[in-house]
Amino acid sequence: MEIWQRKSPGGPSDKIGQELVAAFTKATGIPATMTSISDEFEVKLQQRAVQRNLPDVVINDTAQLGNMQTQGLLRQIDRDAIEGADDVNERAWDGARAYDGDYYGVPVTAHTVALFNRKDWRQNLGLDVPEDWDSLVSMWKAYADGDPTGTGEKVAGLALPGTTQRGYMSWSTSTYFWSGGGEYFEETPDGYRSAVATDESVRAATWIRDLSCKADVLQPGASSYDSGTTKDLFKSGGAGSFLVAPYELASLKEALGSDLEVLTPPPGPAGLVTLAEGNNAYLMAGSANETAQEEFAEFMISAQGQEIGMAGDRDGNIVRLPVNSTVDMADTRDDPDWNLFQKLFDENGRYVPAVPNWNPFLNESAKTLNALISDCSLDVRSEMEKLDDVFTAELAHQEVLAP
């Protein structure tokens, strides 16, 4: 059986994936290989689809469900037929359900985001932990203007992945957009309407734009940074905060040690809503190994599979927050910051909307927000109204536009 995951070949996550597959084969007797791919993952998957030779299982982002399902690449999942499905967190199952209400993946890991912050910088400047958006921006402003390192070197307040590549700008600001009262859609019994031009959405987008155009707390050239270059900037001392998921916890703690703290993002005008994500095990259409596909998914959600994927406190875990509710993280991990991520996921996490294909909306909203932080002369409402027109046309194209 052939399994793919979106990870760097030879990296820490690849090694843990190999451990997982070896344990699966030992437990079931089913031979399996794990292939880790990072570059052009979707392109290579499309090539295999054209060849009618898809991998048996693909471990991929929850946000990719609609894109793959609308192309006919996925088998529908009978949730009741998956052994151990009842032990899986109900919120995690939300990330495996498509617009039609059916399931097209088995959730194997979940996560949300928290604010990684330079504790030493905050304390050097005599600042309290921020509790609202005003104190949050004030902290970032102090980092940018107050010489928190004592070296006179210019640093940024917030490291932001602002590129349009893979929709990073929208992905990295969705927590702020939702917490500010913004919404991508209004959901009705008959479909969706775009909500990106409401007063609340415009105010949320304005707050995001003002991080660049008024507070000036972002790193120079933020609009061209992806997640990797943003992480490197924060890791090397170029910025004071970085909103990101716990897959960066081990490497950032190794680099920054006690100078790092992980904080609950302060609530915005609409409270606190954090981006929930995860990975599903997608059972690919056309496989000759349907029983083996299901057995691998069942192994991944079992206590043994979850604990192998969690990998303790090592870098490269492929299970961030366990989806199996019978698994206690404390039995596998010592770092208490994992509990913060679990609390945020349980209480504040929200998955992206379950439209048939989220990718066009992600990419278009990234383009708009990227333009707003890049050109401060643009009118936010006008740009969001243009985005509203694009969203409306795409909802119609996907045949889910409410009348």
Side-chain angles (χ1 to χ4, degrees):
M1 189 170 63
E2 185 180 14
I3 303 158
W4 281 16
Q5 64 171 350
R6 188 204 294 276
K7 304 293 181 186
S8 297
S13 295
D14 182 36
K15 295 175 183 177
I16 293 167
Q18 303 304 329
E19 293 174 15
L20 182 73
V21 166
F24 165 72
T25 297
K26 183 177 180 180
T28 64
I30 299 172
T33 61
M34 173 71 82
T35 301
S36 295
I37 301 171
S38 57
D39 294 335
E40 297 187 326
F41 186 91
E42 278 78 20
V43 173
K44 292 172 182 176
L45 195 60
Q46 287 297 322
Q47 291 170 344
R48 292 289 293 268
V50 170
Q51 298 166 6
R52 299 184 179 275
N53 183 29
L54 288 165
D56 297 288
V57 177
V58 168
I59 302 170
N60 201 2
D61 302 341
T62 54
Q64 291 297 320
L65 186 154
N67 185 34
M68 293 194 292
Q69 188 266 332
T70 54
Q71 295 179 68
L73 304 183
L74 307 180
R75 280 180 56 196
Q76 184 177 326
I77 301 296
D78 180 357
R79 176 173 163 177
D80 294 334
I82 300 296
E83 183 178 345
D86 290 344
D87 292 330
V88 172
N89 183 306
E90 193 62 35
R91 188 181 292 263
W93 275 114
D94 288 344
R97 186 172 55 225
Y99 171 76
D100 61 9
D102 292 324
Y103 296 92
Y104 291 89
V106 177
V108 296
T109 177
H111 63 260
T112 188
V113 295
L115 191 68
F116 287 69
N117 190 61
R118 288 296 299 256
K119 180 180 179 180
D120 56 333
W121 292 11
R122 182 177 62 78
Q123 293 179 337
N124 288 346
L125 297 174
L127 302 172
D128 294 329
V129 171
E131 297 183 353
D132 54 33
W133 273 11
D134 286 343
S135 57
L136 178 64
V137 175
S138 293
M139 181 181 74
W140 290 338
K141 189 70 174 168
Y143 289 164
D145 299 339
D147 191 19
T149 66
T151 64
E153 294 183 6
K154 181 68 174 175
V155 296
L158 172 67
L160 180 73
T163 181
T164 58
Q165 179 189 357
R166 294 192 65 209
Y168 275 121
M169 180 60 193
S170 182
W171 168 83
S172 64
T173 58
S174 56
T175 292
Y176 302 126
F177 186 68
W178 280 325
S179 297
E183 293 289 347
Y184 298 104
F185 306 110
E186 174 195 353
E187 187 172 0
T188 78
D190 299 316
Y192 291 90
R193 297 189 185 98
S194 173
V196 292
T198 64
D199 289 346
E200 294 81 3
S201 292
V202 171
R203 281 197 293 268
T206 300
W207 187 86
I208 293 167
R209 190 277 303 269
D210 285 349
L211 295 177
S212 172
C213 296
K214 287 189 176 179
D216 192 21
V217 297
L218 304 182
Q219 77 272 28
S223 60
S224 65
Y225 273 65
D226 62 18
S227 63
T229 52
T230 307
K231 173 189 171 180
D232 290 342
L233 177 77
F234 178 71
K235 194 174 179 180
S236 63
S241 294
F242 182 25
L243 186 76
V244 74
Y247 43 71
E248 303 295 4
L249 189 59
S251 64
L252 290 176
K253 285 207 165 185
E254 182 180 357
L256 300 176
S258 61
D259 291 338
L260 179 73
E261 60 186 355
V262 185
L263 305 176
T264 298
L272 176 59
V273 183
T274 61
L275 175 64
E277 294 182 304
N279 287 342
N280 295 323
Y282 295 106
L283 314 188
M284 306 304 285
S287 172
N289 302 315
E290 290 192 357
T291 300
Q293 285 178 309
E294 293 169 7
E295 288 194 51
F296 180 75
E298 291 166 350
F299 182 79
M300 280 211 72
I301 63 175
S302 70
Q304 181 185 3
Q306 293 277 284
E307 289 168 2
I308 294 170
M310 287 165 67
D313 291 311
R314 288 187 289 159
D315 188 15
N317 54 76
I318 57 178
V319 173
R320 285 92 189 222
L321 301 178
V323 297
N324 187 323
S325 58
T326 71
V327 174
D328 186 347
M329 275 201 298
D331 293 337
T332 304
R333 290 173 171 151
D334 296 323
D335 190 337
D337 282 328
W338 282 103
N339 297 322
L340 171 62
F341 284 100
Q342 185 71 65
K343 183 174 186 293
L344 286 169
F345 177 80
D346 291 340
E347 297 180 5
N348 307 100
R350 183 197 291 188
Y351 285 95
V352 298
V355 289
N357 188 355
W358 169 244
N359 278 1
F361 302 103
L362 174 70
N363 292 327
E364 291 300 327
S365 56
K367 290 177 185 176
T368 296
L369 292 171
N370 176 279
L372 288 173
I373 68 166
S374 302
D375 184 352
C376 298
S377 70
L378 294 175
D379 179 71
V380 178
R381 181 171 293 279
S382 296
E383 297 305 309
M384 296 302 283
E385 287 175 349
K386 293 175 187 175
L387 180 63
D388 186 77
D389 290 340
V390 174
F391 268 34
T392 299
E394 182 60 32
L395 287 170
H397 175 71
Q398 295 190 21
E399 299 181 347
V400 292
L401 179 64

